[in-house]
Amino acid sequence: MALILNIDTATENASVCLSQNGNVLAFEESREQKNHASFLQPAIQKILSEGSKNINELDAVAVTHGPGSYTGLRVGLSSAKGICYAINKPLITLNTLEVMVAAMEADASEIIHINNSLPILFCPLIDARRMEVFTALYSKTKETILEPCPMILTEESFLTELNQFLILFAGSGHAKLKTLLKSNNALFLNTVYSAQNMVTLAEHHFKLKSFASLAYSEPFYGKEFFNSALSKK
């Protein structure tokens, strides 16, 4: 019965979740994007207290390691690694887009049940400013159809796939895509994910002993980080 601390600071909301054997024991969330760092440690202490657990009882720490906000990813991964080092427990890193799909599946269960005409794909979208997003395409069986990548949205985006699939779009970047696509095979969900959607994935990684390197694991930014201050030197 694995006791796992789940941490997500990858996007606009931050949340932490304590889970045991795939069940949520306690959950805490912040919707103030600029306060992820100050939110995290008190929130972890709070959910451990609510779950009547000590940090040394943890079996692993799971964290969304990207894509997402540069600062948010650094905050989450550094905190997760620090805890793992301190208590000598393994680190689990999860792709943010896959966690988003876990949330989308719950919201789309009725659509999936009644749709018999076309196969379904899930397309999570993280806003990356202007018309750019981080995105990927996944099948119902978790097969990766399009690897996680940055994409500049246009009226041509996903048109080939929309001729063959019913695609469910969600995430902070879905609103600007909605203004571009006219296909009846594009459905838009108002799904909001959180660390609670990490639980099943984290438990699966734990059972497989699919752990990340504490020494060498880094955030997955999705593209090269650009520092405007450095570019002027």
Side-chain angles (χ1 to χ4, degrees):
M1 295 178 64
L3 180 67
I4 301 176
L5 171 64
N6 303 276
I7 299 172
D8 172 61
T9 55
T11 56
E12 61 272 19
N13 299 333
S15 58
V16 291
C17 173
L18 187 66
S19 63
Q20 188 165 38
N21 199 29
N23 298 310
V24 175
L25 299 183
F27 171 73
E28 193 71 15
E29 182 179 33
S30 169
R31 296 183 179 273
E32 298 181 28
Q33 185 169 7
K34 295 183 179 180
N35 294 329
H36 285 5
S38 59
F39 158 80
L40 197 52
Q41 295 305 322
I44 291 172
Q45 293 299 319
K46 184 176 180 180
I47 63 172
L48 286 169
S49 176
E50 289 179 357
S52 300
K53 302 294 182 182
N54 184 285
I55 197 166
N56 292 298
E57 296 180 71
L58 293 174
D59 294 301
V61 179
V63 62
T64 47
H65 74 136
S69 157
Y70 174 82
T71 302
L73 295 178
R74 307 271 316 170
V75 166
L77 185 58
S78 61
S79 295
K81 291 173 72 171
I83 294 170
C84 289
Y85 272 121
I87 64 175
N88 193 29
K89 293 297 169 67
L91 173 70
I92 297 169
T93 55
L94 301 177
N95 187 286
T96 314
L97 296 168
E98 293 183 10
V99 177
M100 293 171 68
V101 170
M104 291 170 67
E105 287 178 317
D107 284 354
S109 57
E110 185 174 344
I111 295 172
I112 295 172
H113 178 72
I114 64 175
N115 178 70
N116 296 311
S117 56
L118 289 173
I120 290 175
L121 295 182
F122 293 92
C123 184
L125 300 139
I126 298 174
D127 190 0
R129 300 183 181 179
R130 298 186 178 88
M131 291 306 292
E132 190 170 12
V133 295
F134 296 114
T135 190
L137 284 172
Y138 301 96
S139 71
K140 285 197 300 181
T141 57
K142 307 298 190 301
E143 178 186 1
T144 303
I145 307 301
L146 172 67
E147 292 287 344
C149 63
M151 179 184 293
I152 296 175
L153 299 176
T154 71
E155 294 179 350
E156 305 297 316
S157 299
F158 304 107
L159 285 189
T160 299
E161 293 83 1
L162 285 165
N163 288 329
Q164 307 171 57
F165 299 93
L166 179 67
I167 305 182
L168 307 182
F169 297 97
S172 58
H174 91 288
K176 52 192 177 186
L177 180 62
K178 191 174 184 178
T179 65
L180 298 173
L181 295 186
K182 307 303 179 185
S183 173
N184 291 329
N185 292 334
L187 296 181
F188 295 88
L189 306 175
N190 293 319
T191 300
V192 178
Y193 85 97
S194 73
Q196 294 182 97
N197 301 114
M198 298 171 61
V199 170
T200 300
L201 289 169
E203 184 76 17
H204 180 68
H205 278 249
F206 185 85
K207 289 179 179 178
L208 294 179
K209 299 187 183 302
S210 178
F211 303 133
S213 167
L214 279 181
Y216 300 109
S217 56
E218 296 182 348
F220 170 59
Y221 297 117
K223 62 179 179 179
E224 184 177 355
F225 174 66
F226 177 76
N227 189 318
S228 59
L230 293 177
S231 71
K232 296 176 182 177
K233 294 183 179 181

